[in-house]
Amino acid sequence: MAKDQDMKDQEEIEDIEEEEEEVEEEVEEDEEEEEDEEEKKTSTTTTTSTSKKTSSKPTAATSKSSATTKKSRSTVTQLPIARVKRIMKSDKDVKLISQDATFLVTKSTELFLEYLVKEAFKKTVAEKRKTLSYKDISTTVKDTDPLEFLADIIPEKVLNQ
């Protein structure tokens, strides 16, 4: 009976994943259509704004905040959101991941990496070099208290084998 329940659970998970993929495809199609519409509106707005003052009334484009948020998310992040989501899904305990959660993890990762690299680059500049090296990163991890949790992952010396 436990096997039957496990199979039902697995089928439910697969169904949910398929539905999620279909929804994502629909959202992508809608985003593409909205981008096309926005481009058309932008081109007409620029021509009309030169001849007339534009009103401050809310337009249809401003009411579609969720679509523009999704569009801006892809331009705000430098890491590919889909790849981050795939990495998150590689954990067997993770069943579903919302788009907001994926975006936040992506942005957090970018900010963390930016902090790590800036701190490491300070060491590079202090040694009057231009190229960031592994030694700079490992020294930063060792010397910076908030980064000590990485000491096992980024040791000071890597053995060549």
Side-chain angles (χ1 to χ4, degrees):
M1 295 194 90
K3 289 182 181 179
D4 292 339
Q5 186 62 32
D6 288 345
M7 290 182 69
K8 288 180 184 178
D9 291 345
Q10 185 63 30
E11 289 174 1
E12 279 185 21
I13 291 169
E14 291 172 0
D15 290 341
I16 291 170
E17 289 174 347
E18 288 175 6
E19 289 175 7
E20 185 179 80
E21 289 174 12
E22 291 173 4
V23 168
E24 287 176 357
E25 289 173 3
E26 291 175 5
V27 168
E28 288 175 11
E29 291 172 4
D30 291 344
E31 287 176 354
E32 291 173 2
E33 291 174 6
E34 289 174 3
E35 287 174 6
D36 292 341
E37 290 175 9
E38 287 178 10
E39 287 176 19
K40 290 176 186 175
K41 287 179 184 177
T42 305
S43 63
T44 57
T45 304
T46 54
T47 56
T48 57
S49 65
T50 55
S51 61
K52 298 179 186 178
K53 289 185 177 179
T54 57
S55 66
S56 61
K57 295 178 184 176
T59 61
T62 57
S63 66
K64 296 178 181 177
S65 62
S66 63
T68 55
T69 303
K70 290 175 187 171
K71 179 182 176 186
S72 64
R73 284 181 184 172
S74 62
T75 58
V76 171
T77 61
Q78 294 181 3
L79 293 174
I81 294 175
R83 190 164 298 162
V84 172
K85 186 171 186 173
R86 190 178 324 132
I87 292 168
M88 291 169 68
K89 280 186 170 183
S90 68
D91 184 354
K92 65 180 180 180
D93 295 332
V94 175
K95 304 265 188 266
L96 296 174
I97 305 166
S98 72
Q99 291 179 347
D100 290 338
T102 306
F103 172 74
L104 291 173
V105 168
T106 303
K107 194 63 183 171
S108 299
T109 303
E110 288 178 4
L111 293 172
F112 172 75
L113 288 172
E114 181 180 341
Y115 172 76
L116 174 63
V117 171
K118 281 183 179 180
E119 291 298 311
F121 192 69
K122 289 177 186 176
K123 305 245 186 257
T124 305
V125 171
E127 294 179 8
K128 299 179 182 175
R129 292 182 288 115
K130 293 182 180 179
T131 305
L132 182 69
S133 68
Y134 180 88
K135 181 180 114 184
D136 299 321
I137 296 171
S138 65
T139 305
T140 300
V141 167
K142 183 185 113 192
D143 296 343
T144 310
D145 287 339
L147 298 174
E148 281 186 20
F149 72 97
L150 293 172
D152 293 336
I153 299 168
I154 304 174
E156 271 193 84
K157 191 172 184 180
V158 175
L159 300 175
N160 294 332
Q161 294 180 356

